[in-house]
Amino acid sequence: FNVKGEDLLWLDKPNRDFTPEAAAQWATLGVAPCPFPSVSLWAPPRPRSGDILIADIAGRQDVAVFAWTPREFIDEGLLRFLFTDASDARNQIAFIAERVESQLRRFAVDVAGMPGAIVLRDPSEGHERGAAIRPDKGERVISDLASLATALEEYIDSPDAEPDLKWTGRVQPGTVSAFMRRLHAAVIRLGHLVQSGESRRIDRSAAQVTVVGIQSLHDLGQRFVVGALLSEVFGEKEGSGQRFPLSVVVLDELNKYAPREGQSPIKDMLIDIAQRGRSLGVLLVGAQQTASRVAAEVLENAALRVAGRLDAAEAERSEYGWMLPSTRARARLLKPGTMVISQPSIPVPLVVDFPFPPWATRKEEVAEDGDNAFRGL
C-alpha cells in the first residue's frame, strides 16, 4: 500500500543516482541490483471524473483504476469497513452494520443490462436468486454508494415511517441516526470507490508486486481500501488451505490501522494476521514512526524487528526491550540507512547498513532515456 506521496509507484524504474559503490554492496549480498521486474500499479478514480474513470495519480499515466461495484460491495461484506473509527466500537453502530449487511445479501437483486447495479427486493416476493431482473417503474436502482445510502435510509431511518427492526434490531433511534450520518459522510469521502459497470477489482495475480496507491484518499477511504483488500487476501488463504504461494502485505503507518487503543474491523484483522498469518501463508510487514503506538498483540507476534534512528524518549519504552542497553544508546545516533535488526537465527540484535536502492523512490530519481543507471556494473 502506498500511503504517502507517490514513492512506491516507481519501483519498476531504475534510480539515476545508483553508483558502482552501491552496486558493490549488493554484490556482497549476492543479489543482482535492478528495479522490480514485475509490478502492477493501481489507484482510485478521480472524484467526479464521469463515466471515463481516470486514475487519481499525477506522476504516471500507466496506472490502472480500481473500484468496487455495488454487487461486489455487498457480496464481500465491505459495509463494515465504512465504520472503522475506534469510537464506533463503543456503541451499537457495528451491530447495526452487521444487521444491514445480512439484509442486503438477502434483498440485493441484479439489474439486467446494468453490470454491478442492484435493486432491493424482499425475498418473500419469490424472485429467482442470482437472476437479473428489470426494475419496475419507480423502483430505485442502486448504482453507487450514494444511491445505496438513500435506499437504506428508507428502511432504517425514514422520516415517514418507523425503522424496520429486521434491519436495525431494537436499538435506540439516536444510534440509527448516527449510523446514517456516518454512512452519508462516507459517501462524500469515498463514494467514488463504489460504482456500477464492469468489474474493476484489483488483480493481484497480474504481477509479482502489486502497488495500491491510496495516498490521495481521505483517511476513511484509506482504511476502507486496506480493510477490503486484507479481507480478500485472508479469505482466499483460509478458503484454499494452502500456504504457498506466500502473500506479503506491506503497510506503512501501521499505528493508524492497528492502534494500541480502541477496536475496529481492520485492527481485529491485522491482529488475526499477526497471530495466524504465517501458518496460512500471509506475512505482514508493518512500518511506523513509533512502535509504542501499535497494538501489543501485533508486536508480540513479530518474528523480525527492525529499528532505525529512535527518539531518546521512545528508545526507553518497553517495546524496545529486545535491544541491548548499548544498542539502545546507539540507536539514538544512527544515520539514514543504518538500522538494528532482531531475528531468530542470531540471539543478539545486529546493526546493519541497508544498501542504496537501485530502484527509484520518487519521480525525480527516475533515470531518463539515455541515462545508464547501472554504469560500471
Side-chain angles (χ1 to χ4, degrees), residues 8 19 78 87 93 109 113 143 170 225 236 277 290 317 319 340:
L8 297 183
T19 63
L78 302 185
S87 62
I93 289 180
V109 183
S143 59
R170 297 183 180 278
V225 175
E236 287 180 1
T290 53
R317 299 186 67 96
E319 286 79 8
V340 184

Side-chain angles (χ1 to χ4, degrees), residues 1-4 8 202 210-214 222 225-227 229-230 249-252 257:
F1 293 99
N2 188 84
V3 301
K4 293 182 295 190
L8 297 183
I202 295 172
T210 303
V211 178
V212 183
I214 56 177
Q222 292 185 357
V225 175
V226 170
L229 288 182
L230 286 179
V249 179
V250 182
L251 181 60
D252 195 7
Y257 304 99

